[in-house]
Amino acid sequence: MDYQTLTIRRDGNVEHVTLNRPEVRNAFNPRLIAELEDWARGVRVGRDVRVAVLAGAGPVFSAGADLAWMAETAAYTHERNLDDATRMAGMFEALDTLPVPLVGRVHGAALGGGSGLVAVCDIVVADEQTIFGFTEVKLGILPAVISPYVLAKIGRSAARELFLTGARFPATRAREIGLVHAVTSADQLQPTVAAYVRELCTAGPEAVRAAKQTIREVSSRLGHEPVTALTAEAIAARRVSAEGQEGIRAFLEKRNPKWVE
Ligand code: COA
């Protein structure tokens, strides 16, 4: 696949994948979703990668789902809408189950699905200025597709607060709730990511893969079921709802949605 929305850089056994739609703050549209899933599946089928690093080009890591695309979904049939949401769920699942460690290098903002991308990273280093948030309800939609991955990281209590308010929160809070592992100054971001990568590369490559797999398998026995059908259905319904479309349009038209006094 010829990537238009990602840049890939190889440094020995380390692959750096960078979201590259800075003009819309690395919001993900169907093209970026397809490319990220394709990249993740490529790692799975045997490129000789030991560690992958996920970052965003431009001023922020990722502003989540592309709201111009979300606005368009109102014109879709339910079947197409669901299929489209299922593809987004497939991208998150492919990243979450990446066989090698995925290190997130996060700066600027990680909002909505951008915080979802943070949740599917194994190790996350964030610039101290980064703003996080599960802002979907502010737009009249909801954090459905990302919810299994975020819940696995931050637990129900933090999710109840942060999913329901949609409030933005700082990197220090992201670390407290387990979404982020290290918070650094801007100039220490890259060296800290590099230190994690070096640490990972001192471990046995097969052992690291097996450890990641074990975490996944043990967790699934603790009662988690595959929920992508449920989550895709939930967002597919919500984003075409009157309220969802009003919230999305309000963002694109740079005004408050009508439920904001
Ligand atoms: N989808 C589509 N376009 C988006 C976007 C998104 N999620 N987030 C930002 N953009 C676009 C803006 O509409 C703007 O386009 P324009 O240049 O045509 O006006 C451009 O990206 C730059 O955005 P701007 O808000 O001016 O950039 P910023 O650097 O000041 O702020 C953010 C960056 C990420 C803090 C801010 O854009 C934001 O809050 N985005 C919404 C994030 C969100 O709630 N996402 C949840 C999605 S489910």
Side-chain angles (χ1 to χ4, degrees):
M1 190 175 204
D2 184 21
Y3 296 149
Q4 297 166 5
T5 63
L6 300 179
T7 55
I8 311 292
R9 182 171 64 83
R10 196 59 186 266
D11 179 13
N13 292 117
V14 181
E15 194 143 289
H16 296 261
V17 54
T18 302
L19 311 172
N20 194 22
R21 297 186 78 212
E23 66 287 356
V24 288
R25 304 303 183 259
N26 301 320
F28 41 85
N29 62 356
R31 177 83 207 181
L32 194 152
I33 287 168
E35 291 185 6
L36 253 187
E37 179 164 358
D38 182 76
W39 170 80
R41 301 226 173 268
V43 171
R44 180 166 284 103
V45 296
R47 280 206 307 283
D48 188 20
V49 176
R50 283 181 66 175
V51 178
V53 178
L54 179 65
V60 315
F61 175 73
S62 174
D66 186 320
L67 293 166
W69 159 54
M70 289 265 157
E72 285 170 16
T73 59
Y76 293 1
T77 62
H78 180 66
E79 194 181 28
R80 177 166 175 209
N81 184 21
L82 190 56
D83 179 60
D84 185 88
T86 303
R87 285 176 206 269
M88 179 162 64
M91 172 194 77
F92 280 102
E93 187 65 13
L95 290 171
D96 189 62
T97 58
L98 198 73
V100 301
L102 183 61
V103 179
R105 179 192 187 284
V106 180
H107 73 293
L111 297 172
S115 278
L117 288 176
V118 172
V120 296
C121 292
D122 296 293
I123 298 170
V124 181
V125 184
D127 180 328
E128 61 196 355
Q129 301 293 333
T130 314
I131 297 297
F132 295 82
F134 302 100
T135 49
E136 287 88 342
V137 291
K138 299 287 201 214
L139 300 158
I141 53 177
L142 85 164
V145 164
I146 64 173
S147 63
Y149 314 106
V150 177
L151 279 166
K153 281 279 171 78
I154 74 173
R156 287 190 203 189
S157 177
R160 284 180 170 203
E161 178 200 357
L162 298 168
F163 282 15
L164 303 192
T165 61
R168 296 174 186 222
F169 57 93
T172 47
R173 181 80 201 285
R175 187 181 51 201
E176 279 166 24
I177 60 178
L179 191 59
V180 158
H181 301 94
V183 176
T184 73
S185 59
D187 62 350
Q188 285 304 306
L189 182 63
Q190 186 53 38
T192 307
V193 168
Y196 269 117
V197 169
R198 276 196 305 277
E199 186 78 47
L200 287 162
C201 288
T202 62
E206 288 173 17
V208 172
R209 287 177 178 233
K212 182 163 175 174
Q213 172 88 3
T214 299
I215 293 166
R216 182 172 172 73
E217 285 177 357
V218 171
S219 310
S220 71
R221 292 198 189 186
L222 297 176
H224 301 281
E225 297 296 327
V227 288
T228 50
L230 185 157
T231 59
E233 179 78 60
I235 186 58
R238 190 95 277 273
R239 66 192 188 179
V240 299
S241 69
E243 189 181 271
Q245 285 293 311
E246 162 60 13
I248 291 164
R249 293 249 168 252
F251 173 80
L252 295 172
E253 291 164 12
K254 304 186 192 299
R255 60 173 174 82
N256 282 332
K258 62 186 179 201
W259 61 79
V260 174
E261 302 285 335

